[in-house]
Amino acid sequence: MLFRREVLEGIAGGRIDRVFRVWAEPRVRAGSTQRTWAGIIVIDSVTPVTPEEITEQDALRSGFNDRAALLTALSKSTKEGGYHRVMLHLGGPDPGSELADNADLSDRELADLKATLDAIDSRSRRAPWTREILRLIEEHPGLRAQDLAERLNRDKLPFKADVRRLKALGLTQSLETGYRLSPRGKALMTYLRSSTE
């Protein structure tokens, strides 16, 4: 489930505790979680609703000025299905983001990260790719995944899967559009450049 930046900021600030979606079938379920740059979003409940059941309070607590604005936004959806109210809250910081924000790495930790990238590349069925993607993201922060993938003559979905592997190591961070290197990723790239000089 995608969230706009202002919605995530509202959830983090406690102003937003619900969102509305048009779905044929719910895409999330109560008790599930989602990692975002703002932290871990916890889904409390998912309820189908009619337009008549959507209240003024719903609109205000989902980031809209009033009920009419929310209903107008929902009516413009191009998706098939009915309206769903998703109650949610911020469960806490994303452990991965804490890892990503840590740029204070020892030479041993940096060497271990380099070895991890080497191992990923050696197991790859195609040419080594980890540094290539890190350099691309470093040079083009915020560029759409589709555009990044095209620069490497790759399909978007496998490319995004590779970026997720780098994110799991704390090296990249997702933006509303595209990615950027995390502080940890920047520290590693500096180390990699210095080790090849």
Side-chain angles (χ1 to χ4, degrees):
M1 194 164 61
L2 297 177
F3 298 97
R4 299 191 314 277
R5 172 169 288 273
E6 58 267 29
V7 172
L8 285 174
E9 290 172 349
I11 295 170
R15 300 184 306 279
I16 292 177
D17 64 6
R18 67 200 70 182
V19 295
F20 288 81
R21 294 290 186 268
V22 178
W23 287 326
E25 294 291 334
R27 304 283 179 85
V28 295
R29 56 181 174 75
S32 63
T33 60
Q34 185 168 333
R35 293 171 63 168
T36 73
W37 61 261
I40 302 291
I41 303 296
V42 180
I43 307 300
D44 298 314
S45 65
V46 183
T47 310
V49 292
T50 64
E52 294 73 26
E53 292 173 312
I54 296 175
T55 67
E56 199 70 30
Q57 176 79 350
D58 282 331
L60 297 175
R61 297 295 292 172
S62 60
F64 287 86
N65 290 330
D66 54 39
R67 181 174 176 272
L70 171 56
L71 290 174
T72 297
L74 288 171
S75 70
K76 290 180 179 177
S77 173
T78 58
K79 296 177 181 174
E80 298 285 327
Y83 297 168
H84 291 78
R85 180 193 293 118
V86 181
M87 301 297 294
L88 43 73
H89 70 276
L90 188 68
D94 179 356
S97 69
E98 293 180 9
L99 176 71
D101 288 337
N102 178 21
D104 186 21
L105 302 173
S106 68
D107 285 345
R108 176 59 191 230
E109 289 171 314
L110 289 164
D112 287 346
L113 267 176
K114 178 182 181 296
T116 299
L117 296 186
D118 290 341
I120 292 171
D121 284 338
S122 69
R123 292 192 300 267
S124 175
R125 293 179 181 173
R126 59 179 192 282
W129 58 267
T130 58
R131 290 157 180 77
E132 182 179 51
I133 289 180
L134 287 170
R135 275 194 300 272
L136 189 65
I137 291 172
E138 182 179 39
E139 293 167 3
H140 303 284
L143 192 63
R144 293 185 320 152
Q146 179 70 49
D147 295 328
L148 290 170
E150 286 174 0
R151 286 172 183 261
L152 300 177
N153 293 315
R154 296 192 56 199
D155 292 331
K156 182 175 79 169
L157 292 180
F159 172 82
K160 290 180 73 171
D162 284 345
V163 175
R164 280 195 297 274
R165 292 185 71 182
L166 297 173
K167 184 177 181 180
L169 295 172
L171 302 177
T172 67
Q173 295 172 317
S174 297
L175 303 173
E176 189 170 357
T177 301
Y179 314 95
R180 68 181 173 205
L181 289 189
S182 67
R184 180 181 176 90
K186 290 177 183 177
L188 176 63
M189 292 301 282
T190 300
Y191 171 79
L192 292 175
R193 278 191 285 268
S194 66
S195 65
T196 57
E197 290 174 354

